[in-house]
């Protein structure tokens, strides 16, 4: 029996979250097989084979897999998972789109956003917007699990796994078709794996002010930008910057929350950050309860001074 990991990559490199899923999967005490879907997997397969803790890499490539559609890959994953003990992936939009379909095809329950694997079938996961941790048991014959990547260290290099090519599934064009994407190009680090995150709330009032105030600060600190859901709902920041229960969960070395109230749904996405700094003009804002350093101040006055001091 093996543990399969659905790998996520950009065609060139594995996402850090996949290396974190590899670390998580060691708790099963079984050989780990990394599954790669894509169009040209040469570079990614070489990297995957080097990841410590991976025993085998299965490479499944075809031109139509350049953009992995859940409709295309879920049946193949279900077939592979039938003979495995577990199918694990990082809890990212990529896997959240695919694993529930695999669970449905296998007619098993899946567990999402697991922060600790105590044993095969016994997991710890947050509930109530991260306010409680529940230990849950899953008796299914195949364990389908997504793990909160930030709860696990990223597996490094040092392995030398075998790489095997498998036949690719046919395009399932009747169900779904890739039409295109529009990607925001940014020189900033990826939010999920950035060492520093600067986040802003609704108080920044407009997208222009958000960029003008937080952009320079993020630039000085080589930080990713994050935002609250309220800021996103009001069009102040783009959707993929949302940090929180229904956004990204991040745990950077430094998280700077600017004009962020600290609602539980936001805290669920950032409270595991190593050092939290909050700037808010309301001394009773809940964000100060989790902040290591807090400054009660008007952000429009303070943030430009902070950016200037870091220049
Ligand atoms: C099911 C569900 C899921 C949710 N998921 C998420 C999620 O994933 N992420 C998320 O963030 N939220 C989420 N929310 C929303 C969440 O409950 C809050 O509404 C949201 O986080 C508030 O955002 P905010 O702090 O920007 O806005 P507000 O609550 O309006 O707070 C603004 C803060 O800015 C401060 N402020 C105002 N002006 C200034 C100034 N000039 N200088 C300094 N400080 C100032 C105020 O004192 C206040 O604390 C969710 C809600 C629900 C119901």
């Amino acid at each position: 029996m093996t543990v399969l990991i659905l790998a996520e990559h950009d065609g060139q490199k594995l996402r850090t979250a996949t290396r974190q899923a590899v670390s998580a999967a060691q708790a099963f005490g079984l050989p780990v097989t990394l599954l790669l879907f894509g169009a040209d997997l040469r570079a990614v397969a070489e990297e995957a084979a080097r990841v410590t803790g991976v025993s085998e890499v299965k490479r499944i490539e075809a031109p139509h897999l350049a953009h992995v559609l859940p409709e295309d890959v879920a049946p193949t994953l279900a077939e592979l998972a039938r003979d495995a003990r577990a199918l694990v992936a990082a809890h990212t939009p990529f896997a959240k789109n695919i694993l529930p379909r695999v669970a449905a095809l296998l007619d098993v329950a899946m567990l999402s956003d697991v922060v600790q694997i105590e044993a095969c079938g016994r997991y710890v996961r947050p509930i109530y917007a991260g306010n409680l941790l529940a230990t849950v048991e899953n008796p299914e014959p195949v364990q389908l699990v997504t793990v909160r990547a930030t709860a696990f260290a990223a597996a490094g290099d040092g392995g030398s796994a075998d790489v095997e090519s498998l036949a690719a599934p046919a395009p399932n064009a009747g169900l779904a078709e890739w039409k295109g994407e529009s990607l925001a190009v940014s020189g900033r680090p990826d939010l999920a794996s950035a060492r520093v995150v600067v986040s802003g709330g609704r108080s920044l009032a407009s997208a222009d002010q958000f960029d003008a105030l937080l952009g320079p600060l993020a630039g000085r600190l080589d930080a990713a930008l994050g935002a609250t859901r309220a800021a996103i709902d009001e069009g102040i920041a783009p959707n993929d910057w949302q940090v929180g229960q229904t956004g990204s969960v991040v745990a950077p070395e430094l998280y700077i929350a600017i004009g962020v109230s600290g609602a539980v749904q936001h805290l669920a996405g950032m409270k595991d950050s190593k050092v939290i700094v909050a700037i808010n003009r309301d001394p009773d804002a809940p964000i100060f309860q989790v902040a290591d350093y807090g400054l009660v101040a008007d952000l429009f006055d303070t943030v430009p001074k902070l950016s200037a001091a870091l220049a």
Side-chain angles (χ1 to χ4, degrees), residues 206-221:
S206 72
D208 287 347
Q209 293 200 117
F210 198 103
D211 289 345
L213 281 159
L214 302 200
L217 182 59
R220 306 257 192 279
L221 296 168

Side-chain angles (χ1 to χ4, degrees), residues 13-24 47-48 50-52 152-157:
K13 283 181 66 59
L14 288 174
R15 299 259 184 235
T16 306
T18 295
R19 288 178 174 266
Q20 290 163 309
V22 169
S23 294
E47 181 191 347
R50 287 196 305 270
V51 176
T52 306
F152 302 92
D157 285 342

Side-chain angles (χ1 to χ4, degrees), residues 200-203 227-231 242-247 258-266 279-282 285-286 297-300:
R202 178 175 13 214
S203 47
T228 65
R229 178 158 152 186
Q242 184 176 319
V243 172
Q245 182 191 350
T246 44
I258 298 175
V260 168
S261 59
V264 283
Q265 294 90 355
H266 188 79
I279 301 173
N280 196 305
R281 68 178 178 194
D282 174 5
D298 190 310
L299 70 91
F300 294 100

